[in-house]
């Protein structure tokens, strides 16, 4: 009877590990398999799926890094943005490659590579901008304005930092869904990283919306944002190996070239080695 109880306990423990995503995400296991699995949120131009193909600046950078590590196959796992960090912590994928902004709160739940890119914010409103929205402060000053934001995005806290009330903010699953909310009259504006909203706006090809070219960047902690790959807190070995190759690809111009190929500016969106570090951003020093 005791042996049976022990076997049942062991089996239960193994099932619990499996349920919690107890897979081996070590560098050695990834290299042995020749495949790395990355979580992404379908947000162009950072990481997105196009006709079944994984694309984007963050994807291209991760692909180049892992090629240097001897891993040639990058497989994407689509997830809601708000589920990316929980997913990597649960072992559902090896890392997040979504241009995710480093911030102190996220640093408590994941470890980030060194910054891969830097970017600001953007704003999309109804065509003609009938409410004259040119800043987050304009939204906070008018309680009748509703802004829709992608779930889990840093812009939610940016808006609150500028005085926007909770009941003025609604969320949607992705950027196209935020556009739909404006078109349907459920919201007056949406905000996200500038490159995301600009490229989504161009893809939408609609006369119902417009980008606010005169948008005033918020003066809040976290702007500009530094995007990076995110790893499980327990996977420093993989993060460190990634950082080593990332630094080499920054130095030889590969990262700047990949940014440019995805619509970013090779200088203004590029973060040179050691100019701004992840540790500084995590500690709120930047």
């Amino acid at each position: 009877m005791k042996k049976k109880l022990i076997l049942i306990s062991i089996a239960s423990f193994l099932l619990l590990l499996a349920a919690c995503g107890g897979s081996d995400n070590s560098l050695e296991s990834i290299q042995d398999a020749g495949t790395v699995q990355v979580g992404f949120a379908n947000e162009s131009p950072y990481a997105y799926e196009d006709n079944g193909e994984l694309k984007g600046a963050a994807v291209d950078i991760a692909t180049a890094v892992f090629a240097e590590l001897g891993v040639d196959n990058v497989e994407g796992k689509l997830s809601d943005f708000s589920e990316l960090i929980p997913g990597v912590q649960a072992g559902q994928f090896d890392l997040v490659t979504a241009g995710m902004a480093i911030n102190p709160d996220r640093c408590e739940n994941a470890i980030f590579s060194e910054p891969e890119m830097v970017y600001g914010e953007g704003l999309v409103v109804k065509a003609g901008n009938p409410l004259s929205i040119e800043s987050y402060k304009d939204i906070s000053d008018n309680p009748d304005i509703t802004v829709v934001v992608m779930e889990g995005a840093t812009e939610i806290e940016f808006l609150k930092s500028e005085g926007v009330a909770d009941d003025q903010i609604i969320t949607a699953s992705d950027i196209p869904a935020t556009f739909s909310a404006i078109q349907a009259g459920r919201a007056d504006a949406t905000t996200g990283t500038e490159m995301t909203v600009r490229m989504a706006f161009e893809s939408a090809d609609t006369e119902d919306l417009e980008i606010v070219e005169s948008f005033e960047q918020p003066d809040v902690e976290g702007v500009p944002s530094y995007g990076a790959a995110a790893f499980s807190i327990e996977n420093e070995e993989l993060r460190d190996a990634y950082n080593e190759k990332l630094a080499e690809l920054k130095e030889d111009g590969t990262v700047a070239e990949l940014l440019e190929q995805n619509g970013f500016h090779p200088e203004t969106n590029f973060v040179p080695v050691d100019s701004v570090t992840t540790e500084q951003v995590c500690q709120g020093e930047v």
Side-chain angles (χ1 to χ4, degrees):
M1 179 62 71
K2 287 183 178 180
K3 287 183 178 180
K4 287 183 179 179
L5 289 174
I6 291 171
L7 288 173
I8 291 171
S9 298
I10 292 173
S12 299
F13 178 71
L14 291 174
L15 285 172
L16 179 61
L17 278 180
C20 294
S23 55
D24 185 0
N25 303 107
S26 68
L27 175 60
E28 182 179 1
S29 68
I30 292 169
Q31 289 173 323
D32 287 345
T35 296
V36 61
Q37 296 188 339
V38 299
F40 71 104
N42 220 27
E43 184 181 2
S44 175
Y46 304 94
Y48 61 101
E49 202 169 48
D50 183 19
N51 294 322
E53 185 179 354
L54 192 58
K55 295 183 177 180
V59 171
D60 288 349
I61 291 170
T63 298
V65 168
F66 278 101
E68 293 295 313
L69 291 170
V71 180
D72 295 324
N73 186 33
V74 176
E75 292 184 354
K77 287 193 172 183
L78 178 62
S79 179
D80 288 343
F81 192 87
S82 60
E83 295 301 318
L84 288 173
I85 287 182
V88 77
Q89 289 293 69
Q92 295 171 8
F93 26 81
D94 301 311
L95 70 152
V96 171
T97 177
M100 180 180 282
I102 308 165
N103 67 39
D105 288 340
R106 287 176 178 161
C107 292
E108 294 181 3
N109 297 295
I111 54 175
F112 286 86
S113 71
E114 290 304 318
E116 298 176 347
M117 59 190 74
V118 59
Y119 47 79
E121 302 302 309
L123 187 72
V124 170
V125 297
K126 295 177 182 177
N129 198 2
L131 297 177
S132 301
I133 307 171
E134 296 185 335
S135 67
Y136 291 168
K137 190 69 168 58
D138 288 339
I139 298 173
S140 68
D141 287 344
N142 185 346
D144 293 330
I145 292 176
T146 298
V147 58
V148 57
V149 186
M150 184 172 66
E151 293 172 0
T154 53
E155 286 75 20
I156 295 172
E157 293 305 319
F158 294 164
L159 287 162
K160 291 179 180 179
S161 295
E162 291 285 87
V164 179
D166 288 347
D167 61 7
Q168 289 181 265
I169 303 170
I170 62 175
T171 60
S173 59
D174 53 30
I175 296 298
T178 67
F179 286 7
S180 296
I182 299 174
Q183 292 169 314
R186 298 193 303 273
D188 303 296
T190 185
T191 183
T193 64
E194 181 183 2
M195 289 296 298
T196 294
V197 297
R198 187 173 295 280
M199 293 191 73
F201 175 76
E202 291 173 357
S203 296
D205 191 24
T206 176
E207 296 181 356
D208 298 335
L209 308 171
E210 72 174 59
I211 286 185
V212 180
E213 298 293 355
S214 57
F215 176 66
E216 180 182 334
Q217 292 291 321
D219 184 17
V220 298
E221 182 178 318
V223 178
S225 298
Y226 292 88
F231 303 78
S232 166
I233 286 176
E234 299 175 353
N235 212 344
E236 289 187 15
E237 178 201 26
L238 182 60
R239 190 276 312 271
D240 292 347
Y242 188 98
N243 273 341
E244 181 181 349
K245 297 304 180 182
L246 176 64
E248 293 175 6
L249 294 174
K250 282 185 176 184
E251 293 284 9
D252 70 12
T254 299
V255 171
E257 181 179 339
L258 294 175
L259 287 172
E260 186 172 20
Q261 289 175 5
N262 285 278
F264 292 87
H265 194 284
E267 294 179 4
T268 57
N269 294 123
F270 176 69
V271 186
V273 175
D274 295 332
S275 61
V276 172
T277 67
T278 291
E279 182 179 3
Q280 289 174 315
V281 182
C282 284
Q283 292 181 357
E285 297 175 3
V286 177

